[in-house]
Amino acid sequence: MSLLQIQHVSKRFGGLAALTDVSYSVEKGKILGLIGPNGAGKTTLFNVVNGFYPPTKGEVLFKEERISHLQPYQICKRGVGRTFQVVRPLQRMTVLDNVIASAFLRAKDKAGAERIALDALQFTGLYDDRSLVSKSLPLGKRKKLEIARALATQPEMLLLDESFAGLNPFEQNELIDIIRKVKAKGITIMIIEHHMKVIMSLSDQVVVLNYGEKIAEGTPKEIGNNPLVIEAYLGEAERA
Amino acid sequence: MKKFMPPIILAVLCFLPLVGLSSYAMHILVLVIMWSIIGMGWNLLGGYCGQVSFGHAAFFGMGAYSSGLLYYHFGISGWWGLLVSIPVLTITSLVIGFICLRLRGAYFALATLALGEVLRVTAENLVKFTQGDLGILIKQRTWVEKTWYFYVILLLAAGSFLLVKKVMESKLGYYFVAIREDQDAANSLGINTTLYKTIALCLSGVLTGMAGAFYMNYMGYIDPTTVFPLYDISIVTVMVVMVGGVATYWGPVIGALIMVFLAEVIRSMPKIGAAHQTLFGILLIFIIIFLPNGIVGDFRKITGLFKPRGALK
Ligand SMILES: Nc1ncnc2c1ncn2[C@@H]1O[C@H](COP(=O)(O)OP(=O)(O)O)[C@@H](O)[C@H]1O
Ligand SMILES: [Mg+2]
């Protein structure tokens, strides 16, 4: 069953077509990798799914319900959590308070919120850092905090925007483990990632965007052999 | 120890009038406590929820006029204003919120500033309803002595302090701070930012308005320029909290203490008196540069100055 359906979504910023007629669906319980060169429109697509931008055309369905006219907080309530590419922890709050703030969404009272938050911290390996001020965390832990916060809203689907960028190989492996554990909980994941190793080892399905258009979709293996994809990436490497 | 501070301070304040303070000293105390309440109100919205308002005179004035107009039009005690100001300020806040809360940062601040001014001009011009510049006079003050006014405002302040504390320890408090730190992130974590900003605004407005209603009864006279002024109320409110400590429980109290005393001292100096706004401005710049978290927020920094060198960590 497809949990999330993206149907003919286009998004324009003035004259710029950030997304053009993108369609695909994400199957329940699976991990979908979203790849593409810089500026391809990946984050914009997350912003459309998450409700920050209404699509210029097309719509997004979550569990068969149209969500593309809703506000981000309503979409979160329906079960879609997200992290940001540029990490945005609530700087002056402690790690625990950060997660409690989002745990209140499903908790009846503060004790309940604290329980959910501590669970999420344990799950992401931040339990021992819980009383630190978020501002003082190193990047690797901030990325985990982003995930802990999103998990505390108890989502059915998680959108991860470049969670691996800037992490060292050790932290990358930790994060791969965390994402596998999230999947094992039955949470569906859509992940934007540049590291091919990560995408290929985690994803069940991969979608490739280039200049706002979907140029390929398939299993990691199919994508790895797709000439269009190779060209898009090689093209970028040559320009860089 | 920290837990016992509020009741201890409250108990000391309760006994203060019994030691026979002068009427002037009591007046200063009443003003300090009243400003603490205004500061606590502002702090909820500006300090914790991050929506900086330069128009709190709007709430103060609406509260004062709720009280004054009840007395003037219906001949009932102005003290009813304390109760009536709650619904009046809730409605005022909802209207102001509807207009201003869609704006962010400096735009929100400017919009509140403008609304405060709009209310002042309105009060000046609705002559039939408000008596305009003539103002409203309560002919018979409730008490001659200041003592009972002191207890009334002390009770209000204790209630406000408790309310702020309860709110900040609840879901509301977490949501306010989350909104202050990052509205978009808060929104995508399931927080209806517009709703919770509106709640912060209403709570803030009601607290400030009740202080205004008290002011009417205490002073016995109001007019548009004394209860809706941009400088003497709106700006001073921001200063009270900034000087004392933004987003701290005691900041508004300490800030009120310092600002009220400072205003009195400066006003009593023969030549400088008229320039007190300039001096306040300089003080504000000083605070922003050296104590950006206010006296309560930067308390360690201040005590550190007086410690022998080397003891500093
Ligand atoms: N809010 C916005 N306003 C205008 N242009 C935008 C906005 N957000 C993204 N863009 C543009 O849309 C294109 C896609 O950006 P983005 O989705 O961030 O790419 P990616 O995440 O794939 O690197 C870029 O050209 C970017 O400059
Ligand atoms: Mg991006």
Side-chain angles (χ1 to χ4, degrees):
Chain A
M1 189 195 99
S2 36
L3 188 66
L4 183 84
Q5 289 165 280
I6 294 166
Q7 298 180 338
H8 304 290
V9 164
S10 298
K11 176 71 197 168
R12 303 186 68 88
F13 295 109
L16 179 98
L19 293 171
T20 311
D21 197 26
V22 176
S23 300
Y24 65 88
S25 14
V26 186
E27 299 301 307
K28 193 170 167 55
K30 297 279 162 49
I31 297 185
L32 183 132
L34 184 59
I35 62 172
N38 268 324
K42 305 179 296 292
T43 299
T44 304
L45 188 60
F46 269 23
N47 286 337
V48 168
V49 171
N50 153 257
F52 274 131
Y53 305 140
T56 314
K57 277 210 203 101
E59 46 192 46
V60 181
L61 304 179
F62 182 68
K63 295 201 280 187
E64 326 269 73
E65 182 199 8
R66 181 170 162 239
I67 57 168
S68 35
H69 60 294
L70 297 178
Q71 293 291 313
Y73 75 90
Q74 295 171 311
I75 292 176
C76 180
K77 235 170 234 175
R78 279 163 177 70
V80 182
R82 85 167 281 181
T83 67
F84 291 93
Q85 179 173 359
V86 181
V87 285
R88 311 173 90 151
L90 310 173
Q91 305 259 357
R92 284 174 282 180
M93 281 171 125
T94 64
V95 168
L96 179 59
D97 283 347
N98 247 291
V99 186
I100 289 180
S102 52
F104 268 116
L105 184 65
R106 312 277 181 212
K108 277 191 215 74
D109 51 22
K110 191 169 167 188
E114 199 165 330
R115 243 188 335 268
I116 296 174
L118 287 172
D119 268 355
L121 289 175
Q122 205 112 50
F123 191 86
T124 47
L126 286 175
Y127 187 81
D128 294 333
D129 300 306
R130 63 190 181 281
S131 21
L132 294 180
V133 177
S134 314
K135 188 153 74 168
S136 64
L137 288 183
L139 182 70
K141 287 185 171 171
R142 283 195 209 191
K143 297 249 172 186
K144 286 185 192 163
L145 176 56
E146 284 268 314
I147 295 174
R149 277 199 309 176
L151 285 176
T153 66
Q154 305 188 327
E156 284 179 57
M157 173 156 202
L158 192 59
L159 313 178
L160 299 171
D161 195 348
E162 300 204 14
S163 298
F164 288 83
L167 299 193
N168 64 38
F170 178 73
E171 292 170 322
Q172 286 181 17
N173 286 333
E174 277 184 334
L175 203 52
I176 289 179
D177 285 344
I178 291 174
I179 292 173
R180 290 220 167 97
K181 276 195 322 188
V182 174
K183 183 186 176 185
K185 277 169 86 131
I187 298 174
T188 309
I189 296 172
M190 174 149 72
I191 177 170
I192 296 178
E193 206 32 77
H194 274 308
H195 293 272
M196 277 303 159
K197 184 192 94 188
V198 171
I199 279 289
M200 295 303 171
S201 68
L202 278 176
S203 311
D204 299 298
Q205 188 79 356
V206 177
V207 166
V208 190
L209 289 184
N210 196 23
Y211 295 113
E213 290 180 62
K214 184 176 102 173
I215 58 169
E217 178 171 3
T219 61
K221 207 166 171 196
E222 287 162 3
I223 293 298
N225 299 326
N226 185 317
L228 270 175
V229 179
I230 295 167
E231 192 197 327
Y233 271 89
L234 284 182
E236 193 194 34
E238 268 162 26
R239 275 198 306 277
Chain B
M1 181 65 213
K2 236 181 161 179
K3 212 175 142 197
F4 296 111
M5 277 296 274
I8 290 173
I9 290 180
L10 186 65
V12 169
L13 283 171
C14 278
F15 282 106
L16 257 189
L18 304 179
V19 303
L21 293 173
S22 72
S23 172
Y24 176 69
M26 288 299 286
H27 174 64
I28 297 296
L29 268 176
V30 167
L31 285 186
V32 168
I33 300 173
M34 185 189 83
W35 274 105
S36 308
I37 298 174
I38 303 172
M40 289 176 209
W42 188 93
N43 206 18
L44 263 183
L45 179 69
Y48 294 110
C49 196
Q51 311 301 306
V52 172
S53 145
F54 280 99
H56 259 50
F59 304 120
F60 185 80
M62 285 299 282
Y65 269 95
S66 303
S67 199
L69 292 175
L70 274 181
Y71 166 82
Y72 178 70
H73 288 292
F74 303 106
I76 59 173
S77 162
W79 289 110
W80 287 107
L82 277 181
L83 271 185
V84 172
S85 63
I86 297 175
V88 169
L89 265 299
T90 306
I91 294 167
T92 310
S93 305
L94 288 176
V95 172
I96 291 185
F98 183 75
I99 300 171
C100 301
L101 280 178
R102 60 189 69 204
L103 304 168
R104 289 194 184 187
Y107 298 99
F108 173 79
L110 284 175
T112 56
L113 186 150
L115 272 177
E117 289 293 277
V118 166
L119 280 181
R120 179 174 58 78
V121 175
T122 309
E124 277 166 2
N125 287 287
L126 281 180
V127 179
K128 282 232 175 74
F129 187 53
T130 64
Q131 296 226 81
D133 289 328
L134 259 181
I136 292 175
L137 178 73
I138 292 182
K139 292 196 186 82
Q140 275 179 320
R141 303 280 305 284
T142 323
W143 301 294
V144 182
E145 292 288 322
K146 301 257 192 286
T147 315
W148 286 108
Y149 290 105
F150 172 85
Y151 283 123
V152 169
I153 196 71
L154 186 61
L155 189 71
L156 272 181
S160 306
F161 189 94
L162 222 65
L163 177 81
V164 171
K165 205 156 179 294
K166 279 273 167 284
V167 164
M168 288 317 298
E169 282 163 4
S170 74
K171 167 170 149 175
L172 278 181
Y174 280 88
Y175 279 13
F176 290 170
V177 177
I179 289 169
R180 173 188 77 196
E181 294 295 305
D182 191 328
Q183 266 192 64
D184 290 331
N187 196 350
S188 69
L189 290 169
I191 300 172
N192 182 346
T193 50
T194 312
L195 173 69
Y196 288 97
K197 283 194 289 183
T198 308
I199 293 175
L201 183 69
C202 287
L203 289 171
S204 183
V206 166
L207 288 188
T208 309
M210 289 179 84
F214 169 83
Y215 183 85
M216 170 79 255
N217 290 284
Y218 177 60
M219 298 303 279
Y221 173 78
I222 56 167
D223 66 26
T225 47
T226 48
V227 297
F228 283 119
L230 172 60
Y231 177 78
D232 283 315
I233 306 275
S234 292
I235 307 276
V236 171
T237 302
V238 181
M239 288 187 65
V240 160
V241 185
M242 287 208 60
V243 168
V246 174
T248 60
Y249 290 138
W250 287 102
V253 180
I254 305 292
L257 196 70
I258 291 173
M259 290 301 290
V260 169
F261 270 94
L262 220 62
E264 288 304 309
V265 170
I266 294 172
R267 233 169 260 157
S268 66
M269 294 189 212
K271 289 232 172 75
I272 305 176
H276 75 282
Q277 298 193 355
T278 316
L279 280 181
F280 276 6
I282 294 170
L283 173 73
L284 187 59
I285 292 171
F286 177 84
I287 292 276
I288 289 172
I289 294 176
F290 294 104
L291 301 172
N293 301 310
I295 290 174
V296 174
D298 281 327
F299 194 65
R300 290 238 176 80
K301 215 160 152 186
I302 300 170
T303 50
L305 288 178
F306 299 104
K307 280 194 189 131
R309 285 200 169 261
L312 277 170
K313 265 200 237 166

